[in-house]
Amino acid sequence: MPLKQAILLGVVFVVLFLWILRMALGNRLRESHAVLWIVVALAMPFSILLYPLLVKVSGFAGFMAPVNFSFLMAFIVLFVICLNFSALSSELERSIKNASQKIALLEEEVRRLKGRVEEAGGRDPDGPTEAERP
Amino acid sequence: MSSAPQVRPSIPPDVFRRTIVIIPAYNEAGNIAAIVSGIRSDYPEARVVVIDDGSSDRTREFAQRAGAVVLSHPTNLGYGVALQTGYKYALNARSCDYVVQIDGDGQHDYREIPRLLEPIVRRGADIVIGSRFIDGRPSYRIGLRRKWGIFFFRVLYRALAGNKVNDVTSGMKALRKSVVEKCIRDDFPYHYPDTNVLLLHSRNGFRIAEVPSAMRENRERKSMHGSVRRQLFYFIWMLLAIWTVRAKTKGRRHAS
């Protein structure tokens, strides 16, 4: 790999790594997601350090240039990550739906119970009567 | 309201006492009060529940003032979710055996509620659909694309369910409590509960009946399937949803 490219990839990796770390420490990124993105970002230093291996593997897979192989791999990895996040977002949507429905039902329950308390003159209608109170 | 045939089958008042009418509504401040007041005055024994799906207008206020129980979603979650919230309320409510669902845009005529309940009460049906396509032509003009869509899903439904339903996309329905119990599950397809839900119910052995119903076009011409893009999305999505139902209920066909 030409030196200029290696330096560029190295700098990009360091910047990305620090950014991911900052987001994780600032609670803007869940730890599990931070680990995932660090692993993805690690592809850059690996492609610098193991460049001869990358050339061999891409040649074995029938690619004319290692960069084409790298792009395909990047596309596949990002596709899998997007699919995974879609599944996660579907799950979250279901949770939000259930929570919202619960809020709507409980709100109505509270309104009904408040009405009953007001009807009973401020007393809890299910609570003890005056005679039962100690 | 529309010029619906004023047929009111004799339904014992006790049935209305055990009926909850659920009305999903999103920004329907202009229609909701008239619908709720109409139901409350014609069928005072029935309970009316409006599910305000995160409206930004005064839907909630007008529905409450007209005498409905209002369940408010904190945000807009869609028609199917609103329906399911209504089902959940009905299942927890005291002495509710029947649920009637009508739209909050005034498209459905609430005066046909007895007609919807009659096959459940007298003929043992589990689900009754208010159909635009039996007993004459629909009372309003349906666009060509939508008409072909309904025809396609009607044929597909018939092939997969083994029984005939004319209006597979009608939102006006009456359901027995046993059906509602199935609709509160987490796997209920709440995005567009149309043909797929009917197929699911049919393949689960519920008896489906249809009664003619005069519907009218929404005054503001609002629709969930307005643009070509949405219609195309709906078509593909519904095919996938029907295929999912078919896979889940493999081998179950009921010619009810």
Side-chain angles (χ1 to χ4, degrees), chain B residues 159-223:
Chain B
L160 296 174
N163 58 71
K164 189 181 167 191
V165 168
N166 288 292
D167 196 350
V168 285
T169 60
S170 170
M172 189 183 197
K173 290 190 189 97
L175 314 166
R176 204 181 275 278
K177 194 179 180 178
S178 50
V179 180
V180 176
E181 276 165 11
K182 298 272 181 194
C183 298
I184 63 154
R185 289 160 46 151
D186 242 4
D187 59 354
F188 176 73
Y190 54 83
H191 278 113
Y192 292 110
D194 274 340
T195 317
N196 51 338
V197 171
L198 270 187
L199 182 66
L200 182 70
H201 290 326
S202 172
R203 288 171 80 114
N204 276 331
F206 291 118
R207 283 151 299 182
I208 300 171
E210 266 184 300
V211 292
S213 165
M215 296 181 199
R216 65 178 182 78
E217 196 165 19
N218 179 287
R219 272 181 220 152
E220 287 114 42
R221 299 177 71 89
K222 282 190 287 182
S223 171

Side-chain angles (χ1 to χ4, degrees), chain B residues 61-101:
Chain B
E61 183 193 331
F62 290 158
Q64 237 158 11
R65 221 186 277 167
V69 168
V70 180
L71 307 173
S72 287
H73 286 166
T75 183
N76 181 244
L77 296 163
Y79 175 76
V81 179
L83 268 184
Q84 202 188 41
T85 305
Y87 295 149
K88 285 183 177 179
Y89 176 88
L91 269 189
N92 287 325
R94 212 177 300 155
S95 60
C96 165
D97 292 328
Y98 314 108
V99 171
V100 172
Q101 62 183 62

